[in-house]
Amino acid sequence: MSYDITKIRNNFPVLHRKVYDKPLIYFDSAASSQKPVQVLMAEEKLHNDYYGNIHRGAHFMADKATEDFENIRVQVRNFINATHREEIIFTKGATESINLVAFSFCEAFLNEGDEIIVSEMEHHANIVPWQMAAIRKKARIVKLPFNDSGILEIEKLPHLITPKTKLIAVAHVSNVLGTINPVNEIISIAHQKNVPVLVDGAQAVPHLKVNIQEMDADFYVFSAHKMYGPNGVGVLYGKKSWLEQMPPYQGGGEMISEVSFEGTTFNELPYKFETGTPNITGVIAFGAAISFLNETGLTEIAGWEHSLLEYATEKLKTISSLRIYGEAAEKSGVISFNIEGIHPYDLGMLLDKMGIAARTGHLCADTVMAHFGIDGCVRISFGMYNTMEEIDIFIAALHKIILMF
Ligand code: PLP
């Protein structure tokens, strides 16, 4: 199947706008991707047609909204090839999914003196919740380091795992380095020692085909807004056997079975972990985003984004004052860099004035910044809709900025 970039771009009305009178070049999909009309229309259809609160209404509107909401749960299960629909918990994002596990898993399984192994290349969302749990339980965080090329030193992992290790938390794809981590291998090492693994898939799911059963992750988290879907929706995949043993994260709403002043019994999975009125609109629009990803084809998207990555990397390497952070062979469409003598904020601001949306700063990854001894950098990240021509304009913009300095 050939990749029809014009057709793909035409699904995203926002890509045709101008910024400061320049055509928008959106190189910040790793932060949040743009939304196709299919997603916008799904939201509109719900509200024009059949909106109602789910799971609790005894009327047509509530039933229809509930049916669609639950169908999306099955769609998500199929998308990542999970075994059971009950293993798919809707949250408000990857961050909330990790916080849920960090609370509920650690409440049940983490004790004083225990250890959680966290990789050095994690987003803050996959560090801070573990630190909070460790403080609560008087446990300890152990670092799995990466080398200067941005590759995890997984040969160290077997030695870091001790009888006190209760969980390993690792990104599938780093949001700064772009490294695609060998999660299958990490999980296999961990499982040989009966240690469960949480994989942060926020930067992987929009770009790679994920097969949870093959990967055998115990927990896998991601956010809809990085997958061309709405913000405010996320997924926690958890193995049923773990989720069943974990206490609820929050109380109220659909998570109860019976409530009295003497006590409460909890609902079955997945509802035990879903409190209050969920993001009904968001979840239903998320279904449209997944259909859109499936129709475009993840293999085709991955191939296209890889060509963009190779093309941009080759061009950037011709700039002698530029340093790229993250040079793993297995990399997704993320390039973080600095140019000697130019502050990343200045660079980001000047790119913005030329219509190019890039990310600047610590990228919510202070431990990665610390590894390289920097305060921040600039990141460009690609989505299915970016083009080689946009990269050419970006490279020309960099040359112009370097001349200005
Ligand atoms: N994990 C990674 C690797 C990310 O890149 C991000 C967001 O950039 C998150 C977690 C947090 O995602 P969210 O803000 O959607 O909860």
Side-chain angles (χ1 to χ4, degrees):
M1 191 166 86
S2 73
Y3 198 78
D4 190 345
I5 185 68
T6 309
K7 186 170 159 218
I8 287 170
R9 285 180 69 82
N10 282 340
N11 288 305
F12 294 85
V14 73
L15 295 179
H16 299 99
R17 68 157 293 162
K18 290 193 167 181
V19 172
Y20 307 117
D21 223 22
K22 307 274 186 333
L24 167 68
I25 295 180
Y26 191 75
F27 278 172
D28 199 18
S29 294
S32 204
S33 56
Q34 298 298 340
K35 325 298 170 204
V37 281
Q38 290 83 342
V39 168
L40 309 176
M41 276 162 49
E43 288 183 4
E44 207 177 299
K45 182 170 169 18
L46 169 72
H47 290 285
N48 285 336
D49 213 14
Y50 61 95
Y51 178 79
N53 206 340
I54 60 167
H55 294 140
R56 51 193 81 165
H59 55 77
F60 175 87
M61 304 290 272
D63 284 348
K64 170 80 177 110
T66 304
E67 191 185 325
D68 266 29
F69 186 95
E70 288 304 325
N71 283 342
I72 309 292
R73 197 188 302 279
V74 174
Q75 196 183 4
V76 173
R77 180 198 71 184
N78 295 341
F79 184 64
I80 60 169
N81 193 32
T83 312
H84 307 285
R85 63 173 276 288
E86 305 92 291
E87 297 179 318
I88 304 299
I89 315 287
F90 286 118
T91 63
K92 69 182 163 71
T95 303
E96 190 180 49
S97 302
I98 298 169
N99 274 278
L100 190 163
V101 180
F103 178 82
S104 297
F105 177 89
C106 294
E107 211 46 28
F109 297 107
L110 194 72
N111 294 306
E112 188 169 341
D114 282 345
E115 295 169 353
I116 296 170
I117 298 176
V118 178
S119 107
E120 190 187 6
M121 65 168 76
E122 297 310 303
H123 187 283
H124 295 160
N126 203 19
I127 299 177
V128 184
W130 305 114
Q131 284 175 333
M132 289 163 65
I135 290 169
R136 220 172 46 242
K137 294 288 187 161
K138 298 191 172 63
R140 202 166 77 85
I141 305 296
V142 174
K143 176 174 90 175
L144 172 63
F146 65 84
N147 67 20
D148 291 344
S149 302
I151 299 169
L152 277 180
E153 298 180 342
I154 65 162
E155 66 284 0
K156 294 194 171 144
L157 185 58
H159 313 291
L160 293 177
I161 300 174
T162 73
K164 289 179 180 300
T165 308
K166 288 293 154 69
L167 185 128
I168 297 171
V170 65
H172 194 170
V173 172
S174 156
N175 66 312
V176 179
L177 308 164
T179 314
I180 302 172
N181 286 319
V183 286
N184 292 18
E185 204 181 329
I186 292 171
I187 291 165
S188 152
I189 294 169
H191 284 180
Q192 279 165 30
K193 305 203 176 189
N194 294 321
V195 175
V197 180
L198 177 138
V199 178
D200 175 357
Q203 295 295 345
V205 171
H207 310 288
L208 312 169
K209 186 84 199 113
V210 168
N211 184 333
I212 281 294
Q213 289 188 59
E214 220 173 84
M215 186 189 296
D216 204 23
D218 299 275
F219 302 100
Y220 194 93
V221 307
F222 49 101
S223 293
H225 71 97
K226 295 183 197 289
M227 305 166 66
Y228 311 99
N231 56 309
V233 177
V235 172
L236 164 64
Y237 159 82
K239 272 187 189 164
K240 208 170 157 185
S241 51
W242 284 117
L243 293 176
E244 276 171 348
Q245 297 180 72
M246 288 158 47
Y249 172 50
Q250 294 180 331
E254 201 52 32
M255 55 76 76
I256 61 101
S257 174
E258 272 178 42
V259 179
S260 74
F261 278 105
E262 282 65 53
T264 296
T265 50
F266 302 124
N267 205 344
E268 59 194 18
L269 291 173
Y271 310 110
K272 184 172 90 175
F273 291 107
E274 292 181 356
T275 48
T277 299
N279 187 345
I280 303 163
T281 314
V283 167
I284 287 172
F286 182 30
I290 294 177
S291 300
F292 183 72
L293 274 169
N294 283 336
E295 280 154 24
T296 311
L298 269 162
T299 313
E300 286 73 18
I301 295 171
W304 178 257
E305 290 175 350
H306 191 71
S307 316
L308 295 171
L309 173 72
E310 283 193 327
Y311 185 69
T313 305
E314 194 187 308
K315 296 253 168 184
L316 286 170
K317 281 191 165 169
T318 63
I319 303 175
S320 59
S321 55
L322 186 144
R323 169 159 188 204
I324 292 176
Y325 305 105
E327 301 197 81
E330 294 292 317
K331 217 183 136 167
S332 88
V334 166
I335 308 176
S336 298
F337 64 93
N338 269 322
I339 296 180
E340 214 181 305
I342 310 179
H343 194 281
Y345 285 129
D346 291 336
L347 190 49
M349 190 199 47
L350 290 166
L351 286 170
D352 178 46
K353 293 288 176 280
M354 298 179 191
I356 301 166
R359 181 82 191 269
T360 56
H362 55 55
L363 312 183
C364 297
D366 277 344
T367 57
V368 180
M369 300 299 124
H371 181 104
F372 291 108
I374 54 175
D375 294 332
C377 60
V378 178
R379 177 185 73 191
I380 57 166
S381 55
F382 304 127
M384 62 159 84
Y385 36 57
N386 290 119
T387 67
M388 306 288 173
E389 292 73 31
E390 289 180 321
I391 292 170
D392 289 337
I393 296 170
F394 163 70
I395 298 289
L398 285 186
H399 282 295
K400 206 165 153 189
I401 293 168
I402 290 167
L403 275 181
M404 282 163 65
F405 278 79

Coordinates of all heavy atoms in Angstrom, one line a residue, residues 30-31 92-96 98 121-126 171 173-175 200-203 221-226 233 359 363-364 379, ligand 1:
A30 N 4.8 14.5 19.7 CA 5.1 13.7 20.9 C 4.4 14.3 22.1 O 4.1 13.7 23.1 CB 6.6 13.6 21.1
A31 N 4.3 15.7 22.1 CA 3.6 16.3 23.2 C 2.1 16.1 23.1 O 1.4 15.6 24.0 CB 3.8 17.8 23.2
K92 N -7.7 9.2 32.8 CA -7.6 10.5 32.1 C -6.3 10.6 31.3 O -6.1 11.6 30.6 CB -8.0 11.7 32.9 CG -7.0 12.0 34.0 CD -7.5 13.2 34.8 CE -6.9 13.5 36.1 NZ -5.5 14.0 36.0
G93 N -5.4 9.7 31.4 CA -4.2 9.8 30.6 C -3.2 8.8 31.2 O -3.4 8.1 32.2
A94 N -2.0 8.7 30.5 CA -1.0 7.8 30.9 C -0.5 8.1 32.3 O -0.3 7.2 33.1 CB 0.2 7.9 29.9
T95 N -0.5 9.4 32.6 CA 0.0 9.8 34.0 C -0.9 9.2 35.1 O -0.5 8.7 36.1 CB 0.0 11.4 34.1 OG1 0.8 11.9 33.1 CG2 0.5 11.8 35.5
E96 N -2.3 9.4 34.8 CA -3.2 8.8 35.8 C -3.1 7.3 35.9 O -3.2 6.7 37.0 CB -4.6 9.3 35.5 CG -5.5 8.9 36.7 CD -7.0 9.3 36.5 OE1 -7.6 9.0 35.5 OE2 -7.5 9.9 37.5
I98 N -0.4 5.5 35.5 CA 0.7 5.1 36.3 C 0.5 5.4 37.8 O 0.8 4.6 38.6 CB 2.0 5.9 35.8 CG1 2.3 5.5 34.4 CG2 3.2 5.6 36.7 CD1 3.4 6.4 33.7
M121 N 15.7 7.0 31.8 CA 15.2 7.8 30.7 C 13.6 8.0 30.7 O 13.0 8.3 29.7 CB 15.5 7.2 29.3 CG 14.9 5.8 29.0 SD 15.1 5.4 27.3 CE 16.8 4.9 27.2
E122 N 13.1 7.9 32.0 CA 11.6 8.1 32.1 C 11.1 9.5 32.1 O 11.8 10.4 32.5 CB 11.1 7.4 33.4 CG 11.4 5.9 33.4 CD 10.9 5.2 32.1 OE1 9.8 5.2 31.8 OE2 11.8 4.5 31.5
H123 N 10.0 9.7 31.5 CA 9.2 10.9 31.7 C 8.9 11.0 33.2 O 8.7 10.0 33.9 CB 7.9 10.7 30.9 CG 7.0 11.9 30.8 ND1 6.2 12.4 31.9 CD2 6.8 12.8 29.8 CE1 5.5 13.4 31.5 NE2 5.9 13.8 30.3
H124 N 8.8 12.3 33.7 CA 8.5 12.5 35.1 C 7.3 11.6 35.6 O 7.2 11.2 36.8 CB 8.2 13.9 35.4 CG 9.4 14.8 35.2 ND1 9.4 16.2 35.0 CD2 10.8 14.5 35.1 CE1 10.6 16.6 34.9 NE2 11.4 15.6 34.9
A125 N 6.3 11.4 34.7 CA 5.1 10.7 35.0 C 5.4 9.2 35.4 O 4.6 8.6 36.1 CB 4.1 10.7 33.9
N126 N 6.6 8.7 35.0 CA 6.9 7.4 35.3 C 8.1 7.3 36.4 O 8.8 6.3 36.5 CB 7.3 6.6 34.1 CG 7.1 5.1 34.3 OD1 6.4 4.6 35.2 ND2 7.8 4.3 33.4
A171 N 9.9 2.9 30.0 CA 9.2 3.4 28.8 C 9.4 2.5 27.6 O 10.5 1.9 27.5 CB 9.8 4.8 28.4
V173 N 9.0 3.7 24.5 CA 9.8 4.6 23.7 C 10.1 5.9 24.5 O 9.1 6.4 25.1 CB 9.0 5.0 22.4 CG1 9.7 6.1 21.6 CG2 8.8 3.8 21.5
S174 N 11.3 6.3 24.5 CA 11.7 7.6 25.3 C 11.2 8.8 24.6 O 11.3 9.0 23.4 CB 13.2 7.6 25.5 OG 13.6 9.0 25.7
N175 N 10.5 9.7 25.4 CA 10.0 10.9 24.8 C 11.1 12.0 24.4 O 10.8 12.9 23.8 CB 9.0 11.6 25.7 CG 9.6 12.1 27.0 OD1 10.3 11.4 27.6 ND2 9.3 13.3 27.4
D200 N 5.5 2.1 30.0 CA 4.9 3.3 29.7 C 4.9 3.4 28.1 O 5.9 3.7 27.5 CB 5.7 4.5 30.3 CG 5.2 5.9 29.9 OD1 4.2 5.9 29.0 OD2 5.7 6.9 30.4
G201 N 3.7 3.2 27.5 CA 3.6 3.1 26.1 C 3.2 4.5 25.4 O 2.8 4.5 24.3
A202 N 3.2 5.6 26.2 CA 2.7 6.8 25.7 C 3.3 7.2 24.4 O 2.6 7.7 23.5 CB 2.9 7.9 26.7
Q203 N 4.6 7.0 24.2 CA 5.2 7.4 22.9 C 5.3 6.3 21.9 O 5.9 6.4 20.9 CB 6.6 7.9 23.2 CG 6.7 9.2 24.0 CD 6.0 10.4 23.3 OE1 5.8 10.4 22.1 NE2 5.7 11.4 24.1
V221 N 0.6 1.4 29.7 CA -0.2 2.7 29.8 C 0.0 3.5 28.6 O 1.0 3.6 28.0 CB 0.1 3.5 31.1 CG1 0.0 2.6 32.3 CG2 1.5 4.1 31.0
F222 N -1.1 4.3 28.2 CA -1.0 5.2 27.1 C -2.1 6.3 27.2 O -3.1 6.1 27.9 CB -0.9 4.5 25.8 CG -1.9 3.5 25.5 CD1 -3.0 3.8 24.7 CD2 -1.8 2.2 26.0 CE1 -4.0 2.8 24.4 CE2 -2.8 1.2 25.7 CZ -3.8 1.5 24.9
S223 N -1.9 7.3 26.3 CA -2.8 8.5 26.3 C -3.4 8.6 24.9 O -2.7 8.6 23.9 CB -2.1 9.8 26.6 OG -1.7 9.8 27.9
A224 N -4.7 8.9 24.8 CA -5.4 9.1 23.5 C -4.9 10.3 22.8 O -4.8 10.3 21.5 CB -6.9 9.2 23.7
H225 N -4.5 11.4 23.5 CA -4.2 12.6 22.8 C -2.9 12.6 22.0 O -2.6 13.5 21.3 CB -4.2 13.8 23.8 CG -3.1 13.8 24.7 ND1 -1.9 14.5 24.5 CD2 -2.8 13.2 25.9 CE1 -1.1 14.4 25.5 NE2 -1.6 13.5 26.4
K226 N -2.1 11.5 22.3 CA -0.9 11.4 21.4 C -1.2 10.5 20.3 O -0.3 10.2 19.5 CB 0.2 10.8 22.3 CG 0.7 11.8 23.4 CD 1.9 11.2 24.2 CE 2.1 11.9 25.5 NZ 2.6 13.2 25.5
V233 N -8.2 11.4 28.0 CA -8.5 9.9 28.0 C -7.2 9.2 28.0 O -6.4 9.5 27.2 CB -9.4 9.5 26.7 CG1 -9.6 8.0 26.7 CG2 -10.7 10.3 26.7
R359 N 9.2 21.6 20.5 CA 9.2 21.7 22.0 C 10.5 22.1 22.5 O 11.6 21.7 22.0 CB 8.8 20.3 22.5 CG 8.6 20.1 24.0 CD 7.3 20.6 24.4 NE 7.3 20.7 25.9 CZ 6.9 19.7 26.7 NH1 6.5 18.6 26.2 NH2 6.9 19.9 28.0
L363 N 11.6 18.9 28.8 CA 10.7 17.8 28.2 C 10.2 16.8 29.2 O 10.0 15.6 28.9 CB 11.5 17.1 27.1 CG 12.3 17.9 26.0 CD1 12.9 17.0 25.0 CD2 11.4 18.9 25.4
C364 N 10.0 17.3 30.5 CA 9.5 16.5 31.6 C 10.4 15.3 31.8 O 9.9 14.2 32.0 CB 8.1 16.0 31.3 SG 6.9 17.4 31.2
R379 N 13.2 19.8 20.9 CA 12.8 18.5 20.4 C 11.8 18.7 19.2 O 10.9 19.5 19.3 CB 12.0 17.7 21.4 CG 11.5 16.4 20.9 CD 10.7 15.6 21.9 NE 9.4 16.2 22.1 CZ 8.5 15.9 23.1 NH1 8.8 15.0 24.0 NH2 7.4 16.5 23.2
Ligands
PLP1 N1 5.0 9.1 29.4 C1 5.7 9.6 28.4 C2 6.8 8.8 27.8 C3 5.3 10.8 27.8 O1 5.9 11.2 26.7 C4 4.2 11.5 28.4 C5 3.8 12.8 27.9 O2 4.5 13.4 27.2 C6 3.6 10.9 29.5 C7 4.0 9.7 30.0 C8 2.4 11.6 30.2 O3 1.3 11.6 29.3 P1 0.0 12.4 29.7 O4 0.4 13.8 30.0 O5 -0.9 12.2 28.6 O6 -0.6 11.7 30.9

